[in-house]
Amino acid sequence: PINPESQIRNPKSSKISILASKLKTMFRMPRLIRKRTEAVREMFRAVHVMVALNDWSRKLLILNGVEESKVRLIRHGIREGQAIDNRAEGRVAGNEMLKLVFLGRVAPEKGIDVLLRALRLVKTRVELDIYGIGSDMAYGISDIGNAKVRWLEPVKPEQVVETIRKYDALVVPSVWLETGPLVVLEAFAAGVPVIGSRLGGIAEMVRDGVNGLLFKPGSSNDLADVLGRFFEKKAFLKANITRPLNTYHVAKEHEKMYEKLHRP
């Protein structure tokens, strides 16, 4: 056994003990990973059904050994009572201000830096409101190129749809695989097109050139190009937005699935 008093007298001995402990853990990692992998696979074998919120995660489950017949695709829904509004305002390109909104965590994986760099490149006058969540956020106003950026406090969940309704487009510039951002559905409920990364759940929900516009993930140049041609497509995009499923219909889908599982 190690004597704590001897460690105080001999710090070199203490460092060696810590290093030995870390090396022991490192050499055990392959065995621990194998055990965890087998536990997950055993869970896959034991369950009767697994619900995937989007198609990319459905495919990922199948690639990792889940039987295809066990996987059900049931997407997100929005709260009831959030109505869609497809009325276009008839605004056109020119000196008109493009009003954009971003809602969510101000974090690298959310691509906020991609959006801000794009604003330096776009020729259109832009007003961007960021309703951000971040422990070190400084709320206020900043100018970036032709854009005025307002950093605002987060919106309450029940106010999101009405907030988005005030803007020309919602921007979702994520650089990682989203499971299907709920805010995209909330934008559609507000009748507002979405400008998003061609990635993961975003690309499944936003049909490029139909109910929104997609750009290359992480590319500020591509996003700037999309922002520059948004107004000419806005009326068409708004007219093609359809009502998202609400939570009642999503619950019914789960109920049907459970009933089928319990049939004798």
Side-chain angles (χ1 to χ4, degrees):
I2 298 174
N3 186 338
E5 292 184 5
S6 67
Q7 288 188 5
I8 295 173
R9 290 193 299 269
N10 188 357
K12 182 180 289 187
S13 174
S14 176
K15 290 180 180 179
I16 291 173
S17 297
I18 293 171
L19 178 59
S21 176
K22 289 183 177 180
L23 287 172
K24 182 179 178 182
T25 301
M26 183 183 72
F27 287 125
R28 289 176 59 206
M29 283 303 293
R31 182 163 59 88
L32 293 173
I33 291 172
R34 285 195 298 271
K35 287 182 67 175
R36 178 59 62 87
T37 301
E38 183 52 37
V40 171
R41 287 176 176 166
E42 179 59 32
M43 180 192 71
F44 288 166
R45 289 190 290 268
V47 299
H48 292 93
V49 65
M50 298 189 73
V51 175
L53 298 175
N54 51 56
D55 195 51
W56 75 259
S57 60
R58 182 190 70 84
K59 292 175 181 176
L60 188 63
L61 287 169
I62 294 169
L63 285 172
N64 280 275
V66 182
E67 294 178 26
E68 187 170 355
S69 60
K70 288 186 176 182
V71 185
R72 302 285 189 279
L73 175 60
I74 302 179
R75 297 185 185 276
H76 280 304
I78 61 168
R79 293 183 302 112
E80 292 183 68
Q82 297 179 324
I84 192 170
D85 183 359
N86 293 87
R87 291 172 296 177
E89 298 175 9
R91 296 168 68 185
V92 296
N95 293 323
E96 192 67 65
M97 179 78 74
L98 174 59
K99 297 185 68 175
L100 303 174
V101 61
F102 171 97
L103 295 98
R105 289 187 299 109
V106 178
E109 64 270 16
K110 293 296 184 179
I112 191 71
D113 58 321
V114 178
L115 174 56
L116 296 179
R117 286 198 302 271
L119 296 183
R120 294 189 180 279
L121 303 173
V122 72
K123 300 291 191 295
T124 306
R125 292 173 60 238
V126 177
E127 184 176 273
L128 168 66
D129 284 352
I130 298 174
Y131 296 89
I133 302 172
S135 59
D136 58 348
M137 277 195 62
Y139 300 107
I141 300 176
S142 56
D143 292 313
I144 300 177
N146 289 324
K148 183 175 291 295
V149 182
R150 297 194 300 174
W151 301 81
L152 306 168
E153 295 186 2
V155 178
K156 294 180 180 178
E158 62 272 17
Q159 297 174 341
V160 170
V161 172
E162 283 305 315
T163 298
I164 295 175
R165 203 186 301 277
K166 299 183 295 185
Y167 298 91
D168 294 309
L170 168 79
V171 186
V172 189
S174 299
V175 294
W176 72 346
L177 288 169
E178 298 278 5
T179 55
L182 187 58
V183 71
V184 171
L185 297 180
E186 290 169 324
F188 290 156
V192 172
V194 175
I195 298 172
S197 302
R198 189 179 286 105
L199 186 69
I202 302 169
E204 292 181 29
M205 300 161 74
V206 179
R207 292 179 293 159
D208 192 24
V210 179
N211 58 5
L213 297 173
L214 297 174
F215 64 94
K216 182 180 178 182
S219 174
S220 297
N221 289 322
D222 199 21
L223 175 54
D225 179 63
V226 167
L227 293 176
R229 53 190 173 86
F230 173 79
F231 268 131
E232 64 188 59
K233 298 177 178 294
K234 177 185 172 183
F236 179 81
L237 298 176
K238 284 182 68 71
N240 283 285
I241 295 172
T242 56
R243 181 189 298 276
L245 291 178
N246 61 35
T247 50
Y248 173 81
H249 291 99
V250 174
K252 280 294 183 183
E253 287 293 316
H254 281 84
E255 185 179 25
K256 290 177 184 177
M257 179 182 67
Y258 295 139
E259 288 175 351
K260 187 175 180 180
L261 286 172
H262 285 87
R263 285 174 190 165

